[in-house]
Amino acid sequence: IMTKHVFFDMDDTLTLSKSPMNEEHVPTLLALCEKSDVIVVSGQDEANIRRQVPYEAGRYYLLTQNGNHAIGKDGAVLWHEEFSQEQKDAINSFIKKVHDELALPVKDEDDLVEDRGSQISYSLIGHHEEVAKKKAFDPDASKRIQILREYAANVEALKELGVEMSAGGTTCFDIVLLG
């Protein structure tokens, strides 16, 4: 009996962080798409996923932005939730506060925040930093979890606006709609 649905996380499962899928694995993925509904799940947006995982129309579903944006195999949007402007303003204020107070050295200040619509991803050192450096930065997420504890009052204020945060990826905070 073949499994009806197969879900794959993207980063560090189908691909390395922000990297294309290993070409040797592509035929296996596409063969699996013939037998089961394959669903690629990621905090990233559709464009980033399509750059990393080979896209062939009708092959697999996408749950992007931690499930807040669902795309069918045919490319049709199944649902798409987005932040309100009030939520975005509060998130950006939080990010600025953390960024300014931590004052971590980064290669590119413009590579720290990705607004994906229904998820904002804040990388402490940069989304496109070298993979080895990203993996070494906070391999067990303990630094990011500690930051969330230190800023608990701010995290709670965001929660009251319908926003939640977690340590995600290798260097990021995933900020999504509550629930």
Side-chain angles (χ1 to χ4, degrees), residues 82-99:
E82 291 197 356
F83 289 117
S84 70
Q85 191 59 52
E86 177 185 19
Q87 289 169 321
K88 282 187 178 190
D89 292 345
I91 293 164
N92 288 326
S93 292
F94 173 81
I95 289 170
K96 181 170 179 14
K97 178 181 178 120
V98 171
H99 173 269

Side-chain angles (χ1 to χ4, degrees), residues 137-160:
F137 175 74
D138 188 19
D140 62 357
S142 61
K143 289 179 187 177
R144 288 170 286 153
I145 291 167
Q146 182 59 36
I147 290 167
L148 290 175
R149 286 185 189 127
E150 289 172 11
Y151 290 88
N154 301 92
V155 171
E156 187 58 35
L158 287 172
K159 200 173 203 177
E160 290 174 15

Side-chain angles (χ1 to χ4, degrees), residues 96-106 109 122 124 151:
K96 181 170 179 14
K97 178 181 178 120
V98 171
H99 173 269
D100 292 352
E101 290 179 8
L102 294 178
L104 295 171
V106 297
E109 288 287 334
Y122 169 45
L124 292 165
Y151 290 88

